[in-house]
Amino acid sequence: MKILKSFALAASVSLIPITAAHAEAAADAAADAAAEVEGSAIIVTGARGQTQRSVADSPVPVDVIGPAELKSTGRTGLKEILGNIIPSLTMPALGGGGTSASVRPISIRGLSGDYVLVLVNGKRRHTTSLINNLSRISGGSTPVDIDLIPTSGVGHIEVLRDGAAAQYGSDAISGVINIILDNTAHGGDLSLTGGQQYAGGGELVQLSGSYGAPLGDGGFLRLSLEAKYHDRAKSAAEPIPYLYPLVNGQPDPREAGADHVIAGGYGRSNRDKIINTGYNAELPLGENTTLYSFSTVSYRDIKDARGASVAAPTGYGGQANSQGASVLPQIYPGGFQAYRRIQEWDYQAAVGIRSQLAGWDVDLSTSYGQDNVKLGAENTLNPSIGPNSPTDFFMGRQKQDLWVNNLDISREYEVGFAKPLNVAFGVEHRWERFQNIAGEPDSYRDGGYVIPVDDTPFGRLYGGRSPSPGLVSFTGTSPADETSLSRNNLAAYLDVSTDLTPGWFVGLAGRFEHYSDSAGNTFSAKASTRIELAPGLALRGGVNTGFRAPSLAQTGFSTTQNTVTVIGDERVLTVSKFLPVNSAAALALGAKPLKPEKSLNFTAGITYESGPLRLTVDAYQIRIDNRIVKTEFLGTASNGGSAIRAILEDNGVEDVDSAQFFTNAIDTRTRGVDVVGEYTLDTASVGTFRLSAAYSYNKTKILSVIDNPAELSSLNVTLFGRQARRDLVAATPRSKVVLTSNWSSGPVKVLARATRYGGYTESSNLAASDRTFGGKWIADAEIGYQLTPALDLAVGANNLFDTYPDRNGAIAFDGSGQYGGFAPFGLNGGFYYARVGVKF
């Protein structure tokens, strides 16, 4: 009902007569739009050196997303925004447990976010310190968290949909996202957005703004700020019938006042507060010299219930289970909902100078970034301590640092071709560090408590048991899991390109890198071309090799975790250890030092542009060898059992039921096609229509899986099992369609978008337990009105028709699971919002 009222308001606003002020505002908006289109025509991503290329004549596919498009999605945070616009980018609603439930992993072209390089103003951005160790989608990834860049400070975004490791280095296998900060030297803007889910909860309040001022003679300073509060949505879980044992066959009277929705974290589980700030500045120092600098600083506070719902002490209806034994009634007589806390500081600062020296363009820069996360837990306990257990805990800290120094040099030579030969070369030094720091002892220690046997329901069910050490639902980092790893990287590249004849472009690039750790030395190369067959019609394509060095987090991450495993129909609480790949225990299980993942990419496409119409079709193939994945849990009853546990004990790892580690285990091949069409229709009578259609399809195939290492050859062990393999190839939609219409007339703007996500499967180790979810269309809409040249209003809805995934999940004992967890459009239905914007 509220959303209908919002759209009724928008309809009434659109009937306000167009005044002179409205006409002036419309003219200004049209000028802004034209400037945006003109400015975005020239791209810098994938084009080293002095030669400027447009989107239309780029030899590889590049998408440009302008500020108006970023603003009108109704979404907050760059992950959500780009996921709404870019067809090949998806995110699961619930990727898995741990920190990946709080900071959602992304998938691009069916590959994890690790395989896309993120640049800010062309400079490498540091990755997150939060490893997705418990995520089933993009498991073990440590991508850049683009949500910690203020959207209000972004001028436009260039998305290169091709491998570019030869130009930019590690991680640029599936593409490059270059976030270009706003360089407007005059004026400011401020916007306030508020909204919530149709079903309740998920309240959003976001304030964002930016301000620019001239700096020196021809320079600028642009400041940006973004503050957001987003509450968790109403749980999508089914209420459970009974919390307490039946009394003489009848419900306990306490049931009437109890909350039976136990899985409070099923759906949008975050309550997050984010403050993102930034600046972008340039100061001319002379005729050909410019000093530049930019920075972002962010603070994020997340309170997350995902994966933390815990049984009442009676075990739901009085049935004993291993999880219920951890809920001490002296502390939580009615059960409890534990919360993960993430308090995060993140920053990047860069300074550089551009000049000319003996006819060469020279760019010298340095950049430093850090992601610093404090992990905590609230409303939980360490049951092994007993009734005196604390309920709030400091679980540890994770840090990721990156220091990058670049020297880039370029110039053009007249050599008799149709255009000058562009020569660009440079060197780069990178230093990076990952730290995993221990939490307080109560978050991981074994207190030795034994549940007494007595006549209470809890004592009869669980008396004589010793609860597992560590926290229920989470586990703190112990001193044994602490680590601090660092490495240096030196790289050099050469990039040459020209038009050999009018309409025939050729580019060649090569890059050598040396790592001071097991990643060693690597070389990447790229060749690209574009041939214009007729005015506006061209073929383009290329081939490139690439690589991704293992992250330091993948090398050194270690944790001990309480994991619920389903054995038959019973959920059994087990203790699992994630081993650093270079540890004695991992080596005894056959682990090897991680080496870079290597890729071979092919792309071929056709482009057509004529007046207001632009169409591109690009096919690609990405082969990745030595992909880094997590092993299965080694040591469970069905996977090595007591033999694995004996190896672990012999190497100092005791009191765990299973262990896993990262390994270069598989080779894969991803094939796909991207289609993008755009058309602009200007009419004198009914306004301007900007229409676009985009389609993305990809399919990943596992080509090979390594054999069991010699250390495990005599054991019946599976390193990479059925569920993990299926998650790699079937857990994300293979296809995605995005249809968008932007209509504007005078002061009125209307956005309508329809997105179809293809089907996907949430797999199990048993084929009979697989759950397949069909494709869905999701509609978004926004109506805006320019009240004055300085004031605009908008109302809209994401998931306008309140679409949910299929009810095809396996409902768990706590009521969660009916919609699965991987839906890329979420589990909480529609969201409505309103926004007011001011320019000054």
Side-chain angles (χ1 to χ4, degrees), residues 318-341:
Q319 300 300 312
N321 61 65
S322 60
Q323 196 172 14
S326 298
V327 187
L328 303 183
Q330 300 94 327
I331 301 177
Y332 297 111
F336 65 97
Q337 171 72 69
Y339 294 93
R340 175 183 291 276
R341 290 299 302 272

Side-chain angles (χ1 to χ4, degrees), residues 516-531:
S516 61
D517 63 358
S518 64
N521 301 328
T522 186
F523 178 79
S524 300
K526 180 173 184 175
S528 58
T529 189
R530 179 183 182 274
I531 302 174

Side-chain angles (χ1 to χ4, degrees), residues 36-45 47 51-66 156-161 530 536 538-540 606-609 613-618 676-678:
E36 179 181 326
V37 172
E38 181 181 354
S40 66
I42 302 300
I43 58 174
V44 298
T45 310
T51 301
Q52 293 187 331
R53 307 200 69 84
S54 68
V55 172
D57 64 10
S58 172
V60 292
V62 179
D63 300 319
V64 178
I65 303 169
H156 68 277
I157 298 176
E158 298 177 0
V159 181
L160 171 65
R161 292 183 278 115
R530 179 183 182 274
L539 297 176
R540 65 184 180 186
I606 185 170
T607 69
Y608 178 73
E609 186 167 17
L613 173 66
R614 185 168 74 92
L615 176 65
T616 64
V617 181
D618 294 279
V676 179
E678 298 173 346

